[in-house]
Amino acid sequence: MLRKFFNLLVLVAGIVCGVSAQSKELPDFTELVEKQGPAVVNISTTQIFHHNNAHGYPNLPEDDPLLEFFRRFAPQMPNEQESHSLGSGFIISADGYVMTNAHVVDGAEKVIVRLTDKREFRAMVVGADRRTDVALLKIEATGLPKITMGDPNKLKVGEWVVAIGSPFGFDSSVTAGIVSAKGRSLPQDNFVPFIQTDAAINPGNSGGPLFNMNGEVVGINSQIYTRSGGSMGLSFAIPIDVATQVTEQLRSSGKVTRGRIGVTIQELTRELAESFGLSKPTGALISSVEKNGPADKAGIEASDVILKLNGQPVNNSSELPRMVAAIKPGSKVDIELWRKGESRHVSVVVAAIPEDGNLAQVVRKLAEDAGAMISRLGIAVSELTKEQLQELQINGGLLVEDVKGSAARAAGLRQGDVLIAIGNIQLHSLNQFNEILKQVPRGRNVALLVRRGDNALYVAIQLDEK
């Protein structure tokens, strides 16, 4: 009887273990690849570099004796040289529109799209947007396989994703991983909330699709972080909804227009939030306002914190450029901001970002008078001369002569910095600076608007408890 019970126990345990093992089985990507793989393409480009040497030799004057030497003994240099590169892309419509990265086709004089069935087509670049690194191509073909668009907003961190592309020229290579993070902001990429994955992405994968487990494209593989030149498990994809917004504009007009309101922003730290009377560090802190720009005309000032745009919360500063950029220039938007301990609403007419991207960010900071008490802020300051004010093109400010306190050094203050304001109060004299500091409770954070060169930034310094 005991033996029968033991055998039954072993049988039940085996069944439970089998079910558990089956439930933890790794996903099968074969069906996804079979269905979606044909819509992924290889892209090869050719660039032609022209040399300004008409005689085919190094640029030397006609009377240079070395020129005769090259003519006699050295092979003639070609006036043109070709450079080839590879990338990936995917078909978004059966009539031949292909999406890829802008850097894949940047400067290319010839673009060839090769399908998985080995057919090749000469592609026309409909348009490319460097700010988001998205490009739209067109090939003359019909009845092509196309991908299905997904919703990257429904992606969850930890979810499986699949990349298909041509790393190092190896066509139709499949790699898989998980979503490592969402909404990543990268330097110089203010308009893209990247999807971070650990799927193996290498040179040649650029422009290829990132699929979810439903076989829907949720992103375009665009960048990798690497120290070796190969995959290190840090890959970044452009969300497909961002890319679609771009390609729709490229398809209709060949270019992309974006909105701007003419402010410079910075991240709102907990210390800065406290100094401005906010309960939590939510929003985008304005460090400067472009003179005569949309925000300036609406009355927005440096030290204002933008909390909402058209009713949508601005959770952090990196969200604001993307939110404003998505608004059509000429539109009027409602901005909820925080100023001097209370929220208020202003209406701003959005302008267009210049196509060359060289925004003339005028350093116009509204600052308030504040003095330098070494015992509390750990800095020594002096008033600026009229000549210094004219040279800096500012109406007031205090020059940092020395930094002695650990809190000031930790905040990044340096000798030669110019203090423009405390909070939203412009600085004009030492006496004013000292009077303001006397009113600040001990142990509280003070927000200083600091100018260094042509840039200005708020820093938070905690006043000495003593």
Side-chain angles (χ1 to χ4, degrees):
M1 185 68 182
L2 185 60
R3 178 172 293 181
K4 287 182 179 181
F5 177 77
F6 179 78
N7 290 337
L8 180 61
L9 186 63
V10 171
L11 178 61
V12 171
I15 293 173
V16 171
C17 290
V19 171
S20 177
Q22 188 176 6
S23 64
K24 294 182 179 180
E25 186 178 336
L26 292 175
D28 184 356
F29 307 112
T30 55
E31 185 177 352
L32 185 156
V33 175
E34 288 173 0
K35 289 184 177 180
Q36 305 299 330
V40 183
V41 300
N42 171 276
I43 297 175
S44 59
T45 64
T46 301
Q47 289 179 283
I48 300 177
F49 297 95
H50 301 272
H51 301 287
N52 297 322
N53 51 332
H55 41 62
Y57 295 102
N59 294 321
L60 297 171
E62 287 292 335
D63 57 352
D64 193 310
L66 281 176
L67 182 58
E68 184 60 29
F69 169 82
F70 279 111
R71 282 173 173 164
R72 290 189 178 188
F73 303 105
Q76 186 173 2
M77 295 175 59
N79 289 330
E80 294 182 348
Q81 286 185 314
E82 290 188 354
S83 174
H84 303 275
S85 61
L86 295 173
S88 304
F90 51 97
I91 303 168
I92 61 174
S93 67
D95 59 348
Y97 281 96
V98 176
M99 197 181 291
T100 186
N101 283 147
H103 76 260
V104 170
V105 296
D106 186 28
E109 298 190 32
K110 183 180 180 182
V111 180
I112 299 295
V113 170
R114 186 170 69 248
L115 278 57
T116 55
D117 61 9
K118 307 304 180 184
R119 286 186 293 168
E120 293 188 355
F121 298 89
R122 179 78 176 261
M124 175 186 70
V125 180
V126 177
D129 179 54
R130 293 184 179 181
R131 286 191 176 96
T132 54
D133 196 21
V134 174
L136 182 66
L137 312 181
K138 179 67 169 68
I139 60 176
E140 295 303 320
T142 58
L144 298 173
K146 64 175 184 177
I147 56 89
T148 301
M149 298 286 189
D151 185 358
N153 297 308
K154 294 181 179 179
L155 275 180
K156 296 182 179 180
V157 175
E159 181 177 340
W160 281 99
V161 284
V162 176
I164 304 179
S166 304
F168 300 106
F170 293 101
D171 293 359
S172 303
S173 294
V174 182
T175 55
I178 62 169
V179 176
S180 304
K182 293 175 60 181
R184 286 291 195 210
S185 296
L186 301 180
Q188 310 305 320
D189 287 296
N190 295 328
F191 301 111
V192 180
F194 286 98
I195 302 167
Q196 180 186 333
T197 79
D198 67 350
I201 303 297
N202 287 288
N205 273 115
S206 293
L210 184 73
F211 293 97
N212 61 19
M213 289 303 294
N214 294 325
E216 302 167 330
V217 171
V218 290
I220 305 177
N221 297 309
S222 176
Q223 300 185 38
I224 61 174
Y225 175 84
T226 178
R227 293 179 177 176
S228 63
S231 175
M232 294 183 67
L234 283 168
S235 307
F236 300 93
I238 304 161
I240 197 62
D241 57 346
V242 174
T244 300
Q245 293 172 4
V246 171
T247 54
E248 286 176 351
Q249 291 195 54
L250 292 176
R251 188 170 182 175
S252 61
S253 63
K255 63 179 182 179
V256 179
T257 57
R258 293 186 175 86
R260 60 182 291 266
I261 59 174
V263 296
T264 301
I265 58 174
Q266 69 178 87
E267 195 66 39
L268 186 67
T269 63
R270 187 170 297 279
E271 293 77 15
L272 286 171
E274 179 188 311
S275 68
F276 288 117
L278 283 165
S279 59
K280 56 183 179 179
T282 300
L285 173 60
I286 298 175
S287 58
S288 66
V289 181
E290 178 187 339
K291 188 175 182 179
N292 296 323
D296 185 29
K297 293 176 181 177
I300 293 178
E301 305 173 358
S303 79
D304 287 345
V305 179
I306 296 181
L307 303 176
K308 292 182 180 180
L309 183 71
N310 278 343
Q312 288 185 289
V314 179
N315 296 312
N316 52 64
S317 63
S318 64
E319 291 184 354
L320 185 64
R322 297 194 288 267
M323 296 171 71
V324 174
I327 298 172
K328 185 178 180 180
S331 302
K332 186 177 289 187
V333 297
D334 176 72
I335 291 179
E336 182 182 344
L337 54 84
W338 180 266
R339 180 188 298 171
K340 296 182 179 179
E342 61 181 14
S343 63
R344 61 182 68 188
H345 290 261
V346 297
S347 183
V348 181
V349 178
V350 177
I353 294 179
E355 289 187 27
D356 60 6
N358 295 325
L359 300 179
Q361 297 287 352
V362 180
V363 183
R364 177 191 172 275
K365 281 82 176 160
L366 302 175
E368 300 174 313
D369 303 303
M373 299 176 67
I374 297 178
S375 61
R376 303 194 75 192
L377 285 184
I379 56 176
V381 297
S382 63
E383 296 181 359
L384 293 167
T385 65
K386 290 183 179 180
E387 291 75 15
Q388 289 173 322
L389 291 172
Q390 290 176 354
E391 182 180 353
L392 295 170
Q393 297 182 345
I394 55 178
N395 297 324
L398 300 172
L399 179 66
V400 177
E401 299 281 1
D402 194 9
V403 180
K404 298 184 177 181
S406 58
R409 285 196 297 270
L413 285 182
R414 303 177 189 171
Q415 183 181 10
D417 287 344
V418 176
L419 305 184
I420 304 295
I422 288 184
N424 58 357
I425 304 174
Q426 188 174 1
L427 293 171
H428 296 290
S429 68
L430 281 172
N431 289 336
Q432 177 202 26
F433 183 52
N434 291 330
E435 288 301 318
I436 293 173
L437 288 181
K438 287 178 182 178
Q439 300 173 22
V440 179
R442 294 175 181 177
R444 292 291 300 274
N445 287 298
V446 174
L448 294 178
L449 183 59
V450 180
R451 174 168 171 174
R452 181 177 300 159
D454 292 331
N455 300 315
L457 194 72
Y458 273 100
V459 298
I461 301 179
Q462 190 175 51
L463 292 180
D464 194 337
E465 292 284 359
K466 298 180 181 180

